[in-house]
Amino acid sequence: MVIFRSAGFDLDVIGHEKPKQCLKRWRNTYTALGENGLLEEQRGKGSTGRPTGERLSTEEKLKRAEARIKLLEAENDFLKKLDALEKQKMQRKH
């Protein structure tokens, strides 16, 4: 915590647990990757880099929305069929 305070961080703003979380992450990184792991940026390594909504064109946003609608419609149809099958099963038991 002393390091964070001396660097000018207000622990009331960032939270008193944040220094502990950072130290734990840094220790894990050091254990796994050594000193170079601490010196080299690790965030996003191995990421597919999915683009954010801001970078997508209007046409691409529309295509994604249409695909999402189709997925949700298929999911809804599946759940309706599953519900009907469960009702049939319950009726057979009685």
Side-chain angles (χ1 to χ4, degrees), residues 41-76:
E41 178 62 53
Q42 298 298 315
R43 291 177 294 183
K45 292 270 181 167
S47 172
T48 60
R50 185 167 68 171
T52 63
E54 296 172 7
R55 295 186 207 160
L56 298 176
S57 68
T58 304
E59 185 176 322
E60 185 62 30
K61 287 179 187 178
L62 179 60
K63 284 181 184 177
R64 286 184 180 214
E66 288 172 342
R68 177 129 176 95
I69 289 169
K70 285 182 182 179
L71 174 69
L72 293 171
E73 287 174 340
E75 184 179 89
N76 196 25

Side-chain angles (χ1 to χ4, degrees), residues 2-73:
V2 174
I3 296 169
F4 282 78
R5 284 190 189 122
S6 65
F9 289 100
D10 183 350
L11 296 179
D12 291 330
V13 174
I14 66 169
H16 292 273
E17 292 299 313
K18 193 64 170 175
K20 292 176 188 175
Q21 293 168 352
C22 289
L23 288 171
K24 182 179 180 182
R25 186 176 66 245
W26 296 337
R27 281 187 194 112
N28 290 340
T29 299
Y30 183 80
T31 300
L33 304 170
E35 187 176 342
N36 286 337
L38 296 173
L39 298 173
E40 186 179 322
E41 178 62 53
Q42 298 298 315
R43 291 177 294 183
K45 292 270 181 167
S47 172
T48 60
R50 185 167 68 171
T52 63
E54 296 172 7
R55 295 186 207 160
L56 298 176
S57 68
T58 304
E59 185 176 322
E60 185 62 30
K61 287 179 187 178
L62 179 60
K63 284 181 184 177
R64 286 184 180 214
E66 288 172 342
R68 177 129 176 95
I69 289 169
K70 285 182 182 179
L71 174 69
L72 293 171
E73 287 174 340

